[in-house]
Each structure stands twice: as C-alpha cells, then as structure tokens.
Amino acid sequence: MIDSSLKDIAAALRAKTVSAVELATESLARIEAGNPRINAFVTVDRDGALAAARAADTRIAAGDAGPLTGIPLAHKDVFCTEGVLTTCGSKMLANFVSPYDAHVVSLLKNAGAVMVGKTNMDEFAMGSSNESSHFGPTRNPWNTTKVPGGSSGGSAAAVAARMVPIATGSDTGGSVRQPASLCGITGIKPTYGTVSRFGMIAYASSLDQGGAFARTAEDCAQLLSAMTGHDPRDSTSLERSYDHYGADLARPLAGLRIGLPKEFFAEGMSDDVRLAVEAALAEYRKLGATTVEVSLPNARLAIPAYYVIAPAEASSNLSRFDGVRYGHRAAEYTDLNDMYCKSRSQGFGAEVQRRILVGTYVLSHGYYDAYYIKAQKLRRLIAQDFAAALEQCDVIAGPTNPTVAYGIGEKSSDPVQMYLGDIYTVAVNLAGLPGLSHPAGFGKDGLPVGLQLIGNYFTEARLLNTAHQFQQATDWHSRAPVF
Ligand code: GLN
C-alpha cells in the first residue's frame, strides 16, 4: 500500500481497508529488508512508530484525521526529535537525544504522520554524495555502487526504495534537489523563510531551508503544506498566509513561459543529462508551454561565492560543538585547550574540519573584505540575475545535476570536483528562491536524471503545478528501482 499516492493511502485509511498500524508495519518491514544494502536510516524507531500509528488509528476512528494522519514518514537526521537520537550524520552527536522537537517535526506529529526513523546524511549536511556521514555512505537504490546524492541522500534513497512514501530534507545548496534527481524522485526546497529552522541543526543559516521528498509533485505539495507556517522561534520565519501548495495542481500549462538559462546549457552537462533534459523540455512544449532563452551571467560565480559564505556561517554555527556545551568530549586531555582541540578533532570528520578551516580563514581580519564581503556582493548580483530572468518567464528550467549518480569513492578524495557538482543548485539558495527537481528520464546505464524548476519567491504552487502536469503526461516518476 505504501507504493500508492498519499491521496489513495488516505482514502484507504478512511475507508478502513488499511490501518495506520498496518502501514507502519509495512514500512518497517521494507526498511528491515532493504536498509542493510541501502543504509538510508541511521535510526529506526519501531516502538515509536507503532505507538504513533495506534494513535493515528484512534484519530481516524474518531473522524479527526487530516491528509497525513497515519502516513509513514522519515525525517532527515538534521531535525531534532524529542527522545529519539539526532546525530546530524556526525560522531560529534552520535549520542545526542534532543530534549525537544524541531518545528517541522512537531507540525508533522500534530498532523498525525507516523515517523518510522531518521535518515542518513552527509555530516552536518556538508556534502553532495552522502559519503561524509559518520555512519557510512547511503547507497543509491538504482545501483548500489553509486551515490544517492547529498546531503539528504538517506531521505531520497528511502523514498526511492519505497521504504516510506514521504520524507523531509534540508537544502543549503541543493541537498533536497540533488539527491531527488539522482534517486529518481521529486523534491522541493521552498522560498527561504517558509519552513522554520527551529530545531533543524544549523549549517549555514542564511541558506538552510527545510524541504520535502515524495515520488510525485502532488505528494510533495501535501507534505510541504504541512511543514510551512510562521514560527516565532525562528527570526527568519516569514509571517504570511500560506495557501495549500496543491491548490494549483490542475492548471493546464498552456501559455507557461519556461526560461532556459543559456549558461546552464552551454557546457558541463553529460550526454545522459542533456538528452533527458531536452526530451523533457520537448514534452513541456507538447503540453503547451513555450521556452525562451534567458541569461544568468553571474551563475558561474555561484560556486565560489557559496563555498565562501557557507563555510563562513558553518564555522560560526559549529563553534557550539566543543565537548562542553554540546557534543563528543575526548576521554583524555591535559588542559582546557587540549580538551577542545581533541574533542573537535575526534568528533568532526575531514570535510567538516575543512569547512571550519576555510570559514574561519575567510572571516579572519585581513581576509574578510577580500573573500567574505566579495562573496556577499556576488550573492546580490546572482539574485539580481534571477530577478531579471524571471521577468521574461514564469519558471526557469535546467538540469539539477551535471551527471547521473557517480560511483561511491569516485570523487571523495577531490573536494573541488565534488563542489563543482553543485553548479546548478547553489545559486538558488544564494538568491533564496524556491527550486524543485523532478524525474525527467534515465541515462544509458539506467540511472535517473532530474530536471530542475526554479521560480520566483513564493511560487511553490506554480512549480508543483508545472511538475504535476508533466507527471500526468509521463511515467518516469512511477518507475521503481530493483536493488
Ligand atoms: N553540496 C552542498 C554543500 O556541501 C550543499 C549541501 C546542502 O544543501 N546541505 O554545501
């Protein structure tokens, strides 16, 4: 049953042809069968899931159910969950049990969704392949020698492998869209400020945003609608009214203007990706959309700007993990400085240490103007490029990733190569815009390709509508991996 759409599952729950306990049991059985190969979950909360499912069944029986009541779901391990381990993929937090729920977690709990576990991720959400996790890499269900993408690779793999119908993620520079693309599912990162960051362990606060994974845009709309809303505990949470993101799904695409940034199509895309993206654009034209060329002249500067700003913010955010206030403490040390030093050296992996070093460097006296301020100026130029492009079109489309999923270990010794894989996603976070990735086809070796849609601020419903119409005409999103 968990292979069905959320709408069908909810209808079956209401009709009592399935119970929430049966759904949770099905999800837990699939995790048990598949997780040894995929490593999508760091923690499976069997008892908590069954208790939540029983509570959901009581609500359903009382006629008090919402669209997500009784639906199994997984949270990326970046979201704090009261009473359940929250590791953020790090040895630093390997034993951390949060005393409270993240805002997103409590919203979904209140909606009656049934959390089955916490998913694997790059350590502190730093990575594009899920290989930097302290708990070992997650494997791509389409080919277990390949990466699932990162940093929310566990959530994407869990949905792709049909272990859960929906999962949460976070996207600082592409971590929802990238793994969605490499795992052949749909993922959306909304406008910055839409999803509360309260209880979502901070990586780069001005870029971090929670997001949603599902197989289809329709299901993403349902999950994202339940995750949004103003939260006074996050000072960047926006006070505005939120319509249901599924409100616009049925709108035909006739007249939709799709902007194609010429810089995205100039070079850098592999043949697999180019062919699938071009075929998807042809499909969009068949659906009545028109395509126009637009330009994002500063897009090529997005990687250097992002890889200054994100580490700068990370170096500050991660200073709290010192073995005293939070996190792993070394067993043996000589004095206070030695304790800090050993605790952080032992608790953080290589990629996190690299980012803390870079971030500390670019913020230090004498380099701050040369790097950090310069990067902030580029950030503004990038946002202005998007604003100009979005005057000529309704949505921007292009690839999500330059290639299909690559081999585990293939790029992990070359950080710069890894960073370059983020070329199409990071600019969206620098501008704070919403972005979505949906399945667009497969490469010659049977690995999924994603198409990215980028919209203006608060146009999530339009992006989901666009992807939904595409999914009515194609079946890429319903293909399932055999692993
Ligand atoms: N790959 C990017 C990074 O490593 C983005 C990660 C993310 O969105 N959390 O910073």
Side-chain angles (χ1 to χ4, degrees):
M1 182 84 221
I2 56 178
D3 289 348
S4 310
S5 68
L6 290 186
K7 221 199 280 171
D8 289 348
I9 304 177
L13 282 166
R14 268 195 312 275
K16 311 253 181 354
T17 52
V18 73
S19 71
V21 169
E22 283 164 350
L23 287 173
T25 307
E26 185 184 350
S27 170
L28 291 164
R30 290 204 184 178
I31 295 168
E32 200 174 316
N35 204 47
R37 262 164 300 151
I38 305 297
N39 198 24
F41 283 82
V42 175
T43 303
V44 178
D45 184 16
R46 167 175 288 277
D47 294 344
L50 292 173
R54 282 192 292 273
D57 280 330
T58 308
R59 262 176 85 166
I60 294 163
D64 169 34
L68 291 179
T69 308
I71 307 282
L73 136 132
H75 284 302
K76 183 179 183 179
D77 215 8
V78 74
F79 290 101
C80 287
T81 42
E82 186 183 342
V84 177
L85 210 57
T86 299
T87 69
C88 220
S90 182
K91 179 177 177 188
M92 190 53 104
L93 291 177
N95 297 317
F96 176 62
V97 178
S98 167
Y100 58 81
D101 281 330
H103 188 63
V104 163
V105 171
S106 56
L107 285 175
L108 287 163
K109 242 186 210 175
N110 294 341
V114 174
M115 184 189 82
V116 292
K118 307 287 295 287
T119 59
N120 204 354
M121 55 182 281
D122 278 301
E123 185 177 8
F124 285 99
M126 297 175 191
S128 314
S129 67
N130 231 101
E131 291 166 288
S132 78
S133 169
H134 172 63
F135 302 95
T138 298
R139 293 173 178 274
N140 192 317
W142 291 93
N143 177 337
T144 53
T145 68
K146 307 287 182 188
V147 302
S151 63
S152 319
S155 283
V159 172
R162 275 60 179 168
M163 293 172 179
V164 279
I166 47 173
T168 58
S170 67
D171 191 312
T172 304
S175 282
V176 166
R177 291 159 287 153
Q178 255 191 10
S181 144
L182 299 189
C183 289
I185 61 167
T186 309
I188 181 164
K189 169 208 108 68
T191 305
Y192 182 80
T194 299
V195 171
S196 167
R197 292 180 295 104
F198 177 82
M200 188 175 96
I201 295 171
Y203 161 18
S205 310
S206 76
L207 302 157
D208 294 345
Q209 191 57 200
F213 290 105
R215 290 189 300 273
T216 63
E218 184 173 22
D219 288 355
C220 276
Q222 196 64 268
L223 175 57
L224 189 64
S225 296
M227 291 169 67
T228 51
H230 177 242
D231 175 15
R233 298 171 298 182
D234 169 3
S235 59
T236 58
S237 168
L238 297 167
E239 269 193 271
R240 60 194 309 278
S241 61
Y242 293 91
D243 293 333
H244 193 285
Y245 291 122
D248 245 1
L249 289 177
R251 180 167 165 188
L253 296 190
L256 180 80
R257 294 169 308 161
I258 299 180
L260 306 177
K262 64 170 192 253
E263 296 78 6
F264 282 14
F265 289 85
E267 55 179 346
M269 243 187 286
S270 69
D271 289 343
D272 276 347
V273 173
R274 177 181 300 280
L275 290 171
V277 166
E278 280 171 1
L281 292 171
E283 186 66 45
Y284 271 120
R285 287 187 203 100
K286 264 189 7 208
L287 291 168
T290 54
T291 50
V292 287
E293 186 178 279
V294 295
S295 177
L296 300 171
N298 295 293
R300 68 192 174 82
L301 300 171
I303 296 262
Y306 173 87
Y307 277 100
V308 167
I309 293 170
E313 294 188 25
S315 72
S316 162
N317 274 325
L318 270 58
S319 66
R320 75 191 70 179
F321 303 106
D322 58 6
V324 179
R325 289 173 296 173
Y326 290 95
H328 166 81
R329 183 186 295 187
E332 284 169 30
Y333 43 88
T334 50
D335 58 19
L336 183 65
N337 266 332
D338 192 43
M339 191 271 282
Y340 286 150
C341 202
K342 290 210 170 97
S343 300
R344 286 168 68 82
S345 302
Q346 293 167 6
F348 290 137
E351 185 58 28
V352 173
Q353 293 191 23
R354 183 178 297 121
R355 306 246 183 145
I356 292 173
L357 288 173
V358 170
T360 308
Y361 179 81
V362 299
L363 288 177
S364 57
H365 183 72
Y367 297 106
Y368 181 82
D369 292 324
Y371 296 110
Y372 184 71
I373 296 294
K374 192 79 162 193
Q376 292 291 13
K377 289 180 177 167
L378 291 178
R379 182 175 191 173
R380 171 55 62 94
L381 292 177
I382 289 164
Q384 284 170 349
D385 282 356
F386 276 115
L390 286 163
E391 276 178 17
Q392 294 164 260
C393 61
D394 304 303
V395 299
I396 291 173
T400 310
N401 276 70
T403 64
V404 295
Y406 44 90
I408 292 176
E410 216 174 281
K411 291 192 189 177
S412 46
S413 58
D414 188 345
V416 174
Q417 271 312 320
M418 185 78 85
Y419 301 164
L420 289 173
D422 299 346
I423 180 72
Y424 302 120
T425 52
V426 292
V428 175
N429 301 70
L430 289 168
L433 294 166
L436 174 155
S437 178
H438 71 67
F442 290 84
K444 59 182 179 326
D445 296 326
L447 291 165
V449 177
L451 180 101
Q452 182 175 211
L453 298 173
I454 303 163
N456 221 328
Y457 302 104
F458 310 115
T459 59
E460 288 80 3
R462 187 63 163 149
L463 296 181
L464 289 159
N465 153 245
T466 306
H468 176 71
Q469 289 301 316
F470 181 85
Q471 291 177 340
Q472 296 308 293
T474 57
D475 76 343
W476 306 120
H477 59 283
S478 43
R479 311 262 179 114
V482 180
F483 59 92

